[in-house]
C-alpha cells in the first residue's frame, strides 16, 4: 500500500441521486488530490472507450466518523493501477449536514448505496444530467464507479451522542 494517507477537505458534499432502490453518491475528487488517482481516472476512461483491456481500476471505500462527530471521512484505498490512500473530510457544521449522512446510512439499511467519483463539480453535474436523459454511457465515462454497495453502518454513529474529549 502507500506509506501515508493524504487528507483533503471535501470540495462539496456528495450529490445524492435515487435510482430505483439504489442511492447514488456522486463525489468530486480532483485528479491531483493524491498520487495515483490521475492514473485511475485515465484507466477507467480507457476501459470504457476502447476494446483493449487495460490493467483496470480498483478502489475500495469506507466511512469513518470522528469521535466528536464534527467530521466524517470517506477513505479511498486505491489498489490499481497505482496504490494510494486518500481521505476526503466533510466538516459537519449543522444538523442538516449531519442528517444527510444519517440519511445515507438509513438508506443503506434497506437498499444499496453506490459511490462514483468525478474529477470536478462540472463532471458531477454532467453525470447527473446524463442520468436524467438517460445516457448511461456518458454517465459511466465521466468518472469511476468505486463501490456498488458501499458499507455505511459507521455513519449510524452520528445518531448517537459524540464521545467527550479525554
Amino acid at each position: 500500500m502507500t506509506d501515508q494517507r493524504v487528507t483533503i477537505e471535501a470540495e462539496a458534499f456528495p450529490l445524492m441521486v435515487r435510482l430505483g432502490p439504489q442511492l447514488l453518491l456522486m463525489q468530486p475528487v480532483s485528479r491531483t488530490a493524491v498520487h495515483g488517482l490521475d492514473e485511475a481516472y485515465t484507466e477507467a476512461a480507457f476501459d470504457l472507450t476502447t476494446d483493449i483491456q487495460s490493467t483496470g481500476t480498483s478502489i475500495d471505500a469506507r466511512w469513518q466518523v470522528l469521535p466528536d462527530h464534527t467530521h466524517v471521512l470517506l477513505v479511498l484505498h486505491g489498489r490499481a493501477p497505482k496504490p494510494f490512500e486518500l481521505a476526503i473530510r466533510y466538516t459537519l457544521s449543522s444538523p442538516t449536514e449531519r442528517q444527510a449522512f444519517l440519511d445515507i446510512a438509513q438508506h443503506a439499511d434497506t437498499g444499496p448505496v453506490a459511490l462514483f467519483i468525478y474529477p470536478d463539480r462540472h463532471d458531477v453535474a454532467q453525470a447527473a444530467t446524463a442520468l436524467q436523459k438517460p445516457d448511461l454511457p456518458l454517465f459511466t465515462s465521466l468518472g469511476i464507479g468505486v463501490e456498488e454497495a458501499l458499507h455505511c453502518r459507521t455513519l449510524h454513529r452520528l445518531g448517537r451522542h459524540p464521545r467527550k474529549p479525554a
Side-chain angles (χ1 to χ4, degrees), residues 25-154:
L25 301 180
M26 301 162 63
Q27 180 63 50
V29 182
S30 170
R31 289 178 167 274
T32 59
V34 64
H35 181 72
L37 186 55
D38 184 51
E39 289 87 345
Y41 279 120
T42 300
E43 288 291 327
F46 186 68
D47 285 345
L48 291 168
T49 58
T50 69
D51 291 332
I52 301 168
Q53 180 64 36
S54 74
T55 58
T57 301
S58 177
I59 302 173
D60 297 323
R62 66 183 170 84
W63 295 105
Q64 286 184 342
V65 175
L66 271 62
D68 63 2
H69 295 188
T70 58
H71 296 89
V72 169
L73 300 176
L74 175 59
V75 182
L76 303 177
H77 295 276
R79 300 187 190 286
K82 289 189 176 179
F84 64 83
E85 187 172 9
L86 175 66
I88 303 159
R89 181 176 33 228
Y90 304 92
T91 300
L92 305 180
S93 54
S94 74
T96 303
E97 292 169 346
R98 185 170 287 106
Q99 186 60 49
F101 284 100
L102 279 170
D103 291 346
I104 293 169
Q106 290 166 353
H107 182 89
D109 291 341
T110 60
V113 174
L115 173 65
F116 291 82
I117 60 172
Y118 299 89
D120 58 39
R121 288 182 187 189
H122 175 72
D123 291 319
V124 170
Q126 272 191 299
T129 301
L131 276 177
Q132 292 174 348
K133 287 188 177 181
D135 185 348
L136 293 180
L138 177 60
F139 172 78
T140 56
S141 70
L142 291 168
I144 299 173
V146 175
E147 295 277 356
E148 290 182 17
L150 181 62
H151 295 283
C152 301
R153 186 178 201 124
T154 300

